[in-house]
Amino acid sequence: MPKIDVYHTQPSAALFDIEHKAHAYPWSEVVFFQPSGPGTLWWAVSVDDRIAGFANTQLIADEVTLHNIAIDPSYQGQGLGQHLLQHILNYVDEHQALMFLEVRESNATAIHVYQRAGFSLVGRRPHYYASDSGREDALVMRRESK
Ligand SMILES: CC(C)(COP(=O)(O)OP(=O)(O)OC[C@H]1O[C@@H](n2cnc3c(N)ncnc32)[C@H](O)[C@@H]1OP(=O)(O)O)[C@@H](O)C(=O)NCCC(=O)NCCS
């Protein structure tokens, strides 16, 4: 059985490498390494002490926003994204917070993961993301605390 850990971290070259491998349109280096705003947490998930993915959340008042989540492609499809998200949801529930996120409407895997975790569609931002075919809508999803 591999050893899977979730822990708090800081942006690093290893995380930025995963950002580039996982996202077709990754955050720039400037954005990735900018000083974290108030309430920001960086999360890492590791498998046998190797970093396999990360997430970035921000808690403001009673709302948590998931700004980023990425699993290294070589580790995708093994439940790690859901495992990492569950740790974040536990933290959100401890704070009795609402949670919001935005996701590309073409990102079927992420939408599936979010729906399974209790998120529902609450809005749409037209033409929000750059895409290979021009622009793409963002779906806004929300989950109420347990
Ligand atoms: C989205 C992401 C974080 C999920 O992490 P992961 O470790 O691959 O996900 P898991 O293995 O935990 O779960 C994947 C789920 O999606 C399902 N899935 C896989 N491909 C799918 C598809 N094309 N359509 C719908 N569901 C799909 C799997 O069956 C699994 O669900 P199940 O457990 O109910 O069977 C990861 O794929 C990733 O880093 N993607 C690139 C970056 C990204 O898109 N981030 C989200 C930005 S909002």
Side-chain angles (χ1 to χ4, degrees):
M1 281 286 283
K3 180 168 76 80
I4 297 170
D5 295 304
V6 173
Y7 53 93
H8 295 302
T9 188
Q10 292 296 323
S12 64
L15 300 197
F16 191 57
D17 183 48
I18 293 172
E19 169 75 9
H20 266 262
K21 287 183 189 160
H23 288 287
Y25 293 85
W27 285 359
S28 70
E29 194 168 357
V30 169
V31 169
F32 199 86
F33 290 100
Q34 71 190 347
S36 292
T40 295
L41 286 177
W42 287 82
W43 307 72
V45 58
S46 65
V47 178
D48 291 335
D49 299 323
R50 288 172 166 262
I51 296 178
F54 71 89
N56 171 287
T57 60
Q58 187 169 25
L59 171 67
I60 296 179
D62 58 355
E63 289 185 12
V64 172
T65 303
L66 179 69
H67 288 304
N68 200 343
I69 183 167
I71 301 294
D72 188 309
S74 63
Y75 286 99
Q76 287 178 11
Q78 301 173 30
L80 292 173
Q82 292 177 74
H83 186 81
L84 175 56
L85 186 58
Q86 188 55 53
H87 276 255
I88 295 170
L89 297 181
N90 294 344
Y91 155 81
V92 170
D93 290 344
E94 279 166 22
H95 287 271
Q96 289 285 295
L98 264 180
M99 189 167 176
F100 286 92
L101 59 84
E102 284 149 4
V103 58
R104 288 174 184 270
E105 67 174 342
S106 66
N107 194 343
T109 304
I111 292 167
H112 174 88
V113 165
Y114 299 144
Q115 284 176 332
R116 261 198 90 179
F119 285 85
S120 53
L121 181 64
V122 291
R124 175 183 288 271
R125 299 193 202 283
H127 316 302
Y128 189 73
Y129 294 112
S131 80
D132 293 349
S133 55
R135 305 292 297 178
E136 181 177 0
D137 290 2
L139 305 183
V140 182
M141 302 187 81
R142 185 180 83 160
R143 174 188 176 272
E144 288 182 20
S145 175
K146 292 252 164 68

